[in-house]
Amino acid sequence: MSVFERVNELVDRGEPAAMLTIVDKDGSAPRDVGDRMVVTADGEYGTIGGGSVEHLAVQDARAVLENEADSGVRTYELEPGGNTGMVCGGSMDVFVERIRGRARLYVAGAGHISVELAPLAERLGYDVTVVDDREEYAAPDNFPDSTEVIHGDYGETLSELPMTSETSVAVATRSGTFDQRAVAAALDGDAGYVGLVASETKSEHVIDSLAEEGYGRRELARVRAPVGLDLGGSGPEDVALAILSEVNMDRYGVSGQRATRLNLDDLVVVRGGGDLGSGVVYRLHQAGYPVVVTDVQRPTVVRRAVAFASAMYEGEVSVEGVVGRRAGDVDEAIGILEDDAVPVLADPDASVAAELDAAVVVDAIMAKGRTDTGTRRDDAEVVVGLGPGFEAGETVDAVVETDRGHELGRAIYDGTASPYDGEPGERRGYTHERVLRAPGEGPWEPAVEIGELVSAGETVGHVASNAVQAEIDGLVRGLVHGGLDVSEGTKLGDIDPRGEEVDPTKISDKALCLGGGVLEVVLKLR
């Protein structure tokens, strides 16, 4: 039997395989270009040279079969010190290609869903078999000529049909008892996909009954119940499309996510681009959400090295690899989102949330609970407030705790965060001493840069003609932008007594913790 005959046999049986083909060689090698072998989950046919090179190639082939690696060319070095340990003195390039077995779909139940599902599946290349124990339903005239229709017991019939990882079983019988038998047969046959058309209550009953029969919960977790992707619609044709979409998704091992570059249905608007709000933006962006930051035209940003609001001054910033870019209007903001960056808009009231129908609004203004920021629960599908000043279940959907300690970052769905106590975070015994404040009103001009080490008594800047001096030794972790007109008592910066132990270009643990809390809320409530 040739390699190709073996492949055809495997495909007909519905068993996936990997073809190994030598596509290039350099120097001495055990086989020639064009030689092939076939690898399955538990066997091999043919050879590409034996020894270490074949052993490594077979391992790579099985990784492709298990969706742990992609098809492609692998290079094997046949010399001392190479990746094979062989001494032939050359190298081999081997193309590893996954070959899918014939796709089969078995449908238990020949009702209205099956009538829609069978032709749709066949158009996508599935060999379809429908089983029903009612003779009037198991009528070939109800299905395409190519569909195999069997009148028989669900469990017994399915258990006699060949199943592989390329086999999908959709169960849609008229009874939970019959559903149970069909699902059991699919699990016993190691079908690649098992789906149950049923309500949540009925699904739970079937799964629990199978657990009582001795099926393990890990095995039962493979059952898609209720079946199908959430595509909308409720008619038989809608359910058939939802089932087949999930079957295809599982068969090809993909996510089922939109392939579009930008999905504004998931848009998040974060009010306030300071360091804490930027921790939220970073977490959401890394999780795949498109995020727009809104702020005032000239924000007072202290830790501006890690604040997206700094883009209002600098045009573009990078916060741990995530780019923030100032946007002049909504159209420009969408263009920035398409570039996988974060647009920063001068929009204090976050009107962009209504204009783009944002899914989520996060108020990260950090008003310390002293003022009404204007954020309301009906601003978006999900509205989150950071810290005091919000009440979960009333003014917002959830609040994230900002007070350092055991509760930091906790998502609150009923009630409020801890009240603001006015105390800066403690660092090596220092609290208020760390904070640089304006001694009077006027324009602020810094004399040092973020990241510099300063000593107690050193002048770090001026407000008008008044010097601003450091009270402690440490590293300048934050400074507001120069040229701002400030009032007496305005926070101008902070000094960290830990000195060079701190990297002012890294998002703080507190900001990341708040981001994690917001991400929890978004995933839970959307």
Side-chain angles (χ1 to χ4, degrees):
M1 180 184 293
S2 71
V3 167
F4 292 108
E5 288 172 330
R6 178 61 171 161
V7 168
N8 285 334
E9 180 183 85
L10 292 168
V11 169
D12 287 341
R13 281 169 31 192
E15 186 173 345
M19 176 83 83
L20 304 183
T21 305
I22 301 174
V23 294
D24 195 12
K25 73 173 186 175
D26 182 35
S28 178
R31 295 300 300 272
D32 293 326
V33 171
D35 285 336
R36 296 177 172 87
M37 70 178 293
V38 176
V39 176
T40 64
D42 54 8
E44 299 106 44
Y45 187 85
T47 180
I48 57 169
S52 298
V53 63
E54 185 167 297
H55 176 72
L56 287 176
V58 168
Q59 286 185 323
D60 289 339
R62 292 207 168 110
V64 170
L65 283 175
E66 294 170 6
N67 290 320
E68 295 175 355
D70 295 328
S71 296
V73 175
R74 309 294 194 272
T75 298
Y76 304 102
E77 300 158 350
L78 312 176
E79 56 189 2
N83 58 359
T84 67
M86 297 178 70
V87 294
C88 299
S91 66
M92 283 173 45
D93 288 345
V94 178
F95 182 61
V96 183
E97 176 187 11
R98 180 189 175 106
I99 298 174
R100 307 207 71 99
R102 185 178 297 280
R104 292 190 173 92
L105 173 63
Y106 300 149
V107 185
H112 52 283
I113 292 175
S114 301
V115 168
E116 300 291 343
L117 180 58
L120 186 59
E122 291 192 357
R123 290 197 61 177
L124 288 182
Y126 289 83
D127 290 344
V128 181
T129 300
V130 178
V131 180
D132 203 293
D133 66 347
R134 299 165 294 180
E135 189 171 3
E136 66 273 22
Y137 279 82
D141 290 346
N142 294 336
F143 299 91
D145 293 341
S146 52
T147 300
E148 181 182 19
V149 183
I150 300 175
H151 173 222
D153 178 83
Y154 299 107
E156 292 179 4
T157 302
L158 286 174
S159 65
E160 294 171 357
L161 294 174
M163 295 188 192
T164 70
S165 61
E166 298 282 3
T167 304
S168 302
V169 180
V171 178
T173 79
R174 66 188 184 279
S175 159
T177 299
F178 298 144
D179 286 342
Q180 187 175 328
R181 294 174 187 169
V183 171
L187 292 175
D188 291 343
D190 288 328
Y193 172 94
V194 185
L196 172 60
V197 180
S199 65
E200 288 190 16
T201 301
K202 185 178 179 182
S203 297
E204 289 178 5
H205 174 73
V206 170
I207 297 300
D208 289 343
S209 297
L210 288 169
E212 291 175 2
E213 288 185 9
Y215 288 88
R217 286 292 175 180
R218 182 175 181 178
E219 187 177 17
L220 293 171
R222 293 203 303 116
V223 181
R224 305 301 190 194
V227 74
L229 301 183
D230 184 7
L231 302 179
S234 58
E237 63 280 4
D238 298 312
V239 176
L241 177 61
I243 293 171
L244 194 56
S245 297
E246 186 175 59
V247 168
N248 242 34
M249 181 186 77
D250 276 22
R251 181 168 182 251
Y252 289 102
V254 295
S255 67
Q257 299 296 314
R258 292 179 188 265
T260 181
R261 290 185 303 162
L262 177 62
N263 180 16
L264 289 179
D265 292 345
D266 294 329
L267 180 68
V268 181
V269 173
V270 177
R271 297 188 66 191
D275 65 302
L276 297 183
S278 294
V280 173
V281 173
Y282 178 84
R283 286 288 200 208
L284 291 169
H285 180 275
Q286 295 295 77
Y289 288 91
V291 187
V292 173
V293 174
T294 68
D295 217 310
V296 297
Q297 186 72 45
R298 291 172 62 80
T300 304
V301 185
V302 176
R303 292 187 179 165
R304 50 191 168 91
V306 288
F308 287 104
S310 293
M312 296 302 296
Y313 297 91
E314 300 166 30
E316 181 173 303
V317 296
S318 178
V319 178
E320 294 206 29
V322 178
V323 173
R325 196 175 299 148
R326 185 178 60 222
D329 55 31
V330 171
D331 282 346
E332 191 174 344
I334 293 174
I336 293 170
L337 287 171
E338 290 176 337
D339 290 339
D340 196 31
V342 175
V344 184
L345 275 168
D347 181 13
D349 297 325
S351 59
V352 67
E355 192 169 349
L356 293 180
D357 193 22
V360 181
V361 168
V362 180
D363 191 319
I365 292 176
M366 305 304 296
K368 314 298 185 184
R370 293 171 295 179
T371 60
D372 179 0
T373 64
T375 295
R376 297 291 182 268
R377 195 176 181 183
D378 59 0
D379 287 344
E381 181 183 340
V382 177
V383 179
V384 189
L386 298 190
F390 308 99
E391 184 174 358
E394 294 294 333
T395 59
V396 293
D397 294 294
V399 177
V400 176
E401 180 61 70
T402 56
D403 193 20
R404 282 194 178 274
H406 186 66
E407 300 297 313
L408 177 65
R410 187 176 297 276
I412 301 166
Y413 300 96
D414 184 17
T416 63
S418 303
Y420 177 62
D421 61 9
E423 287 292 318
E426 184 269 337
R427 293 286 184 276
R428 295 195 173 167
Y430 296 109
T431 55
H432 291 280
E433 301 92 339
R434 297 193 303 104
V435 180
L436 302 173
R437 295 196 179 276
E441 63 179 25
W444 153 250
E445 291 298 337
V448 295
E449 299 287 340
I450 293 175
E452 286 189 33
L453 293 171
V454 297
S455 302
E458 182 177 342
T459 297
V460 296
H462 293 83
V463 174
S465 60
N466 298 314
V468 179
Q469 296 179 328
E471 293 187 42
I472 61 173
D473 297 345
L475 179 138
V476 179
R477 194 174 181 189
L479 288 172
V480 300
H481 289 81
L484 282 173
D485 286 323
V486 298
S487 303
E488 183 176 354
T490 298
K491 183 177 179 180
L492 302 174
D494 68 80
I495 296 173
D496 198 309
R498 294 174 294 180
E500 292 181 333
E501 297 176 23
V502 177
D503 185 348
T505 67
K506 292 290 184 68
I507 302 171
S508 70
D509 56 344
K510 178 176 181 178
L512 290 175
C513 192
L514 299 184
V518 171
L519 185 57
E520 175 200 314
V521 173
V522 173
L523 292 173
K524 180 182 178 68
L525 298 185
R526 281 213 73 217

